[in-house]
Amino acid sequence: MTAITLFEKRGDIAHFVFNRPQARNALTFEMYEHLYEATLRVNEDKAVKALVISGAGGKAFAAGTDIAEFRALNSDQDCIDYEIKIERILSALERCRVPTLAAIAGACTGGGAAIAACCDLRLAGSDAKFGFPIARTLGNCLSVANYGRLVHLIGAARVKDLIFTARLIDAEEAKIFGFVGEIVAPDALMTRAEELAKTVAGHAPLTLAATKQALLRLRPPMETGEDLVVMCYRSKDFQEGMEAFLAKRPPIWRGE
């Protein structure tokens, strides 16, 4: 059986790969946990100087959480626990000891875009697409922590633009937004990612660590937003969104 994620070290650079190309690297709970475990391995291995995250297949970095996973959310507490689980993983990535770099090819949406937002640097192939199309697809919401990350990264007006229009932006617009730092040809993406990771890995580690921590401390504390999560995930609209998505038909929203 093919592994759903891959982890390897190349010198002092660690590489983590989402490896479900046949499903556009849609994220199962197990894949999220593998990412968490990878951050722990990197934190413990002092020989690692940088972590590169990518998606296999060239068509997607990660196309969000696998819709089938949402069928396990059968109570208010299930929904809250889901966001707590994901936040534990995203926070661990955000606070990883070493610089993290997302090498983004193809679709980077939903949970995939949230993971990319937690990385220190984001490098995109010119074919990349970004967004959170949940208002068009599932009718759920982001966690308050993820809204906060995005506002810190690209600003509230652009977060509203992405969520309200449910559109996907290309690499050039993502760079204008400030979500992406650099764009390269798709076939040069991993070569450039390795090069950039090596550059960062060669710099003073305490300077980089202090910068990461300082910027995290500048973010204001936020409320949990559990009421918003329950309101959306336990709604009839969310059930309709899931059924419509799986049936490949437009959802009928009722606001309830």
Side-chain angles (χ1 to χ4, degrees), residues 40-58:
L40 297 184
R41 289 176 67 176
V42 167
N43 287 343
E44 293 168 0
D45 187 346
K46 302 306 181 185
V48 174
K49 304 299 183 185
L51 170 64
V52 176
I53 301 174
S54 61

PDB file of all heavy atoms in Angstrom, residues 40-58:
ATOM      1  N   LEU A  40       7.229  17.271  15.130  1.00  0.00           N
ATOM      2  CA  LEU A  40       7.898  16.787  16.339  1.00  0.00           C
ATOM      3  C   LEU A  40       9.262  16.195  16.008  1.00  0.00           C
ATOM      4  O   LEU A  40      10.245  16.423  16.729  1.00  0.00           O
ATOM      5  CB  LEU A  40       7.030  15.739  17.040  1.00  0.00           C
ATOM      6  CG  LEU A  40       5.672  16.204  17.578  1.00  0.00           C
ATOM      7  CD1 LEU A  40       4.993  15.067  18.328  1.00  0.00           C
ATOM      8  CD2 LEU A  40       5.811  17.426  18.474  1.00  0.00           C
ATOM      9  N   ARG A  41       9.330  15.435  14.919  1.00  0.00           N
ATOM     10  CA  ARG A  41      10.615  14.849  14.509  1.00  0.00           C
ATOM     11  C   ARG A  41      11.631  15.938  14.193  1.00  0.00           C
ATOM     12  O   ARG A  41      12.805  15.847  14.572  1.00  0.00           O
ATOM     13  CB  ARG A  41      10.412  13.954  13.280  1.00  0.00           C
ATOM     14  CG  ARG A  41       9.676  12.661  13.567  1.00  0.00           C
ATOM     15  CD  ARG A  41       9.426  11.861  12.303  1.00  0.00           C
ATOM     16  NE  ARG A  41      10.660  11.353  11.701  1.00  0.00           N
ATOM     17  CZ  ARG A  41      10.681  10.565  10.632  1.00  0.00           C
ATOM     18  NH1 ARG A  41       9.538  10.196  10.059  1.00  0.00           N
ATOM     19  NH2 ARG A  41      11.825  10.142  10.151  1.00  0.00           N
ATOM     20  N   VAL A  42      11.184  16.966  13.510  1.00  0.00           N
ATOM     21  CA  VAL A  42      12.078  18.070  13.164  1.00  0.00           C
ATOM     22  C   VAL A  42      12.528  18.808  14.424  1.00  0.00           C
ATOM     23  O   VAL A  42      13.694  19.188  14.560  1.00  0.00           O
ATOM     24  CB  VAL A  42      11.373  19.023  12.185  1.00  0.00           C
ATOM     25  CG1 VAL A  42      12.141  20.337  12.040  1.00  0.00           C
ATOM     26  CG2 VAL A  42      11.216  18.360  10.820  1.00  0.00           C
ATOM     27  N   ASN A  43      11.608  19.016  15.349  1.00  0.00           N
ATOM     28  CA  ASN A  43      11.959  19.708  16.594  1.00  0.00           C
ATOM     29  C   ASN A  43      13.009  18.946  17.391  1.00  0.00           C
ATOM     30  O   ASN A  43      13.857  19.543  18.061  1.00  0.00           O
ATOM     31  CB  ASN A  43      10.711  19.921  17.449  1.00  0.00           C
ATOM     32  CG  ASN A  43       9.801  21.002  16.905  1.00  0.00           C
ATOM     33  OD1 ASN A  43      10.212  21.817  16.085  1.00  0.00           O
ATOM     34  ND2 ASN A  43       8.558  21.013  17.359  1.00  0.00           N
ATOM     35  N   GLU A  44      12.939  17.629  17.330  1.00  0.00           N
ATOM     36  CA  GLU A  44      13.853  16.790  18.117  1.00  0.00           C
ATOM     37  C   GLU A  44      15.201  16.573  17.434  1.00  0.00           C
ATOM     38  O   GLU A  44      16.189  16.259  18.095  1.00  0.00           O
ATOM     39  CB  GLU A  44      13.185  15.439  18.397  1.00  0.00           C
ATOM     40  CG  GLU A  44      11.984  15.549  19.329  1.00  0.00           C
ATOM     41  CD  GLU A  44      11.157  14.277  19.362  1.00  0.00           C
ATOM     42  OE1 GLU A  44      11.530  13.315  18.647  1.00  0.00           O
ATOM     43  OE2 GLU A  44      10.151  14.242  20.087  1.00  0.00           O
ATOM     44  N   ASP A  45      15.235  16.726  16.130  1.00  0.00           N
ATOM     45  CA  ASP A  45      16.458  16.452  15.362  1.00  0.00           C
ATOM     46  C   ASP A  45      17.195  17.769  15.111  1.00  0.00           C
ATOM     47  O   ASP A  45      16.873  18.518  14.184  1.00  0.00           O
ATOM     48  CB  ASP A  45      16.093  15.777  14.039  1.00  0.00           C
ATOM     49  CG  ASP A  45      17.322  15.304  13.262  1.00  0.00           C
ATOM     50  OD1 ASP A  45      18.442  15.730  13.603  1.00  0.00           O
ATOM     51  OD2 ASP A  45      17.144  14.528  12.308  1.00  0.00           O
ATOM     52  N   LYS A  46      18.183  18.059  15.918  1.00  0.00           N
ATOM     53  CA  LYS A  46      18.900  19.331  15.837  1.00  0.00           C
ATOM     54  C   LYS A  46      19.718  19.461  14.558  1.00  0.00           C
ATOM     55  O   LYS A  46      20.190  20.564  14.231  1.00  0.00           O
ATOM     56  CB  LYS A  46      19.815  19.509  17.053  1.00  0.00           C
ATOM     57  CG  LYS A  46      19.081  19.461  18.387  1.00  0.00           C
ATOM     58  CD  LYS A  46      17.931  20.453  18.438  1.00  0.00           C
ATOM     59  CE  LYS A  46      17.218  20.397  19.792  1.00  0.00           C
ATOM     60  NZ  LYS A  46      16.030  21.269  19.835  1.00  0.00           N
ATOM     61  N   ALA A  47      19.885  18.366  13.823  1.00  0.00           N
ATOM     62  CA  ALA A  47      20.611  18.434  12.555  1.00  0.00           C
ATOM     63  C   ALA A  47      19.761  19.048  11.445  1.00  0.00           C
ATOM     64  O   ALA A  47      20.292  19.506  10.434  1.00  0.00           O
ATOM     65  CB  ALA A  47      21.086  17.043  12.141  1.00  0.00           C
ATOM     66  N   VAL A  48      18.447  19.069  11.628  1.00  0.00           N
ATOM     67  CA  VAL A  48      17.547  19.639  10.618  1.00  0.00           C
ATOM     68  C   VAL A  48      17.516  21.156  10.765  1.00  0.00           C
ATOM     69  O   VAL A  48      17.313  21.681  11.859  1.00  0.00           O
ATOM     70  CB  VAL A  48      16.120  19.061  10.754  1.00  0.00           C
ATOM     71  CG1 VAL A  48      15.156  19.775   9.805  1.00  0.00           C
ATOM     72  CG2 VAL A  48      16.129  17.566  10.471  1.00  0.00           C
ATOM     73  N   LYS A  49      17.685  21.848   9.653  1.00  0.00           N
ATOM     74  CA  LYS A  49      17.738  23.316   9.663  1.00  0.00           C
ATOM     75  C   LYS A  49      16.542  23.973   8.972  1.00  0.00           C
ATOM     76  O   LYS A  49      16.330  25.177   9.109  1.00  0.00           O
ATOM     77  CB  LYS A  49      19.021  23.790   8.978  1.00  0.00           C
ATOM     78  CG  LYS A  49      20.311  23.223   9.582  1.00  0.00           C
ATOM     79  CD  LYS A  49      20.482  23.627  11.032  1.00  0.00           C
ATOM     80  CE  LYS A  49      21.816  23.118  11.582  1.00  0.00           C
ATOM     81  NZ  LYS A  49      21.963  23.403  13.030  1.00  0.00           N
ATOM     82  N   ALA A  50      15.770  23.193   8.221  1.00  0.00           N
ATOM     83  CA  ALA A  50      14.588  23.737   7.542  1.00  0.00           C
ATOM     84  C   ALA A  50      13.673  22.582   7.155  1.00  0.00           C
ATOM     85  O   ALA A  50      14.121  21.436   7.005  1.00  0.00           O
ATOM     86  CB  ALA A  50      14.977  24.547   6.313  1.00  0.00           C
ATOM     87  N   LEU A  51      12.383  22.892   6.994  1.00  0.00           N
ATOM     88  CA  LEU A  51      11.377  21.894   6.612  1.00  0.00           C
ATOM     89  C   LEU A  51      10.629  22.380   5.384  1.00  0.00           C
ATOM     90  O   LEU A  51      10.094  23.492   5.380  1.00  0.00           O
ATOM     91  CB  LEU A  51      10.404  21.668   7.762  1.00  0.00           C
ATOM     92  CG  LEU A  51       9.148  20.833   7.465  1.00  0.00           C
ATOM     93  CD1 LEU A  51       9.514  19.408   7.083  1.00  0.00           C
ATOM     94  CD2 LEU A  51       8.208  20.843   8.687  1.00  0.00           C
ATOM     95  N   VAL A  52      10.600  21.563   4.328  1.00  0.00           N
ATOM     96  CA  VAL A  52       9.863  21.869   3.102  1.00  0.00           C
ATOM     97  C   VAL A  52       8.633  20.968   3.036  1.00  0.00           C
ATOM     98  O   VAL A  52       8.740  19.748   3.193  1.00  0.00           O
ATOM     99  CB  VAL A  52      10.736  21.649   1.848  1.00  0.00           C
ATOM    100  CG1 VAL A  52       9.924  21.888   0.570  1.00  0.00           C
ATOM    101  CG2 VAL A  52      11.958  22.563   1.884  1.00  0.00           C
ATOM    102  N   ILE A  53       7.467  21.562   2.797  1.00  0.00           N
ATOM    103  CA  ILE A  53       6.212  20.815   2.693  1.00  0.00           C
ATOM    104  C   ILE A  53       5.683  20.960   1.275  1.00  0.00           C
ATOM    105  O   ILE A  53       5.630  22.077   0.731  1.00  0.00           O
ATOM    106  CB  ILE A  53       5.176  21.334   3.710  1.00  0.00           C
ATOM    107  CG1 ILE A  53       5.727  21.191   5.134  1.00  0.00           C
ATOM    108  CG2 ILE A  53       3.853  20.583   3.571  1.00  0.00           C
ATOM    109  CD1 ILE A  53       4.838  21.815   6.184  1.00  0.00           C
ATOM    110  N   SER A  54       5.269  19.849   0.665  1.00  0.00           N
ATOM    111  CA  SER A  54       4.771  19.880  -0.707  1.00  0.00           C
ATOM    112  C   SER A  54       3.716  18.796  -0.895  1.00  0.00           C
ATOM    113  O   SER A  54       3.453  18.001   0.010  1.00  0.00           O
ATOM    114  CB  SER A  54       5.919  19.677  -1.703  1.00  0.00           C
ATOM    115  OG  SER A  54       6.539  18.418  -1.511  1.00  0.00           O
ATOM    116  N   GLY A  55       3.103  18.784  -2.072  1.00  0.00           N
ATOM    117  CA  GLY A  55       2.117  17.761  -2.420  1.00  0.00           C
ATOM    118  C   GLY A  55       2.580  16.970  -3.629  1.00  0.00           C
ATOM    119  O   GLY A  55       3.133  17.540  -4.578  1.00  0.00           O
ATOM    120  N   ALA A  56       2.349  15.686  -3.617  1.00  0.00           N
ATOM    121  CA  ALA A  56       2.765  14.824  -4.725  1.00  0.00           C
ATOM    122  C   ALA A  56       1.852  15.005  -5.936  1.00  0.00           C
ATOM    123  O   ALA A  56       0.685  15.374  -5.813  1.00  0.00           O
ATOM    124  CB  ALA A  56       2.748  13.364  -4.276  1.00  0.00           C
ATOM    125  N   GLY A  57       2.395  14.743  -7.110  1.00  0.00           N
ATOM    126  CA  GLY A  57       1.594  14.677  -8.328  1.00  0.00           C
ATOM    127  C   GLY A  57       1.568  15.923  -9.171  1.00  0.00           C
ATOM    128  O   GLY A  57       1.176  15.874 -10.343  1.00  0.00           O
ATOM    129  N   GLY A  58       1.917  17.067  -8.599  1.00  0.00           N
ATOM    130  CA  GLY A  58       1.966  18.299  -9.370  1.00  0.00           C
ATOM    131  C   GLY A  58       0.636  18.973  -9.620  1.00  0.00           C
ATOM    132  O   GLY A  58       0.595  20.080 -10.166  1.00  0.00           O
TER     133      GLY A  58
END
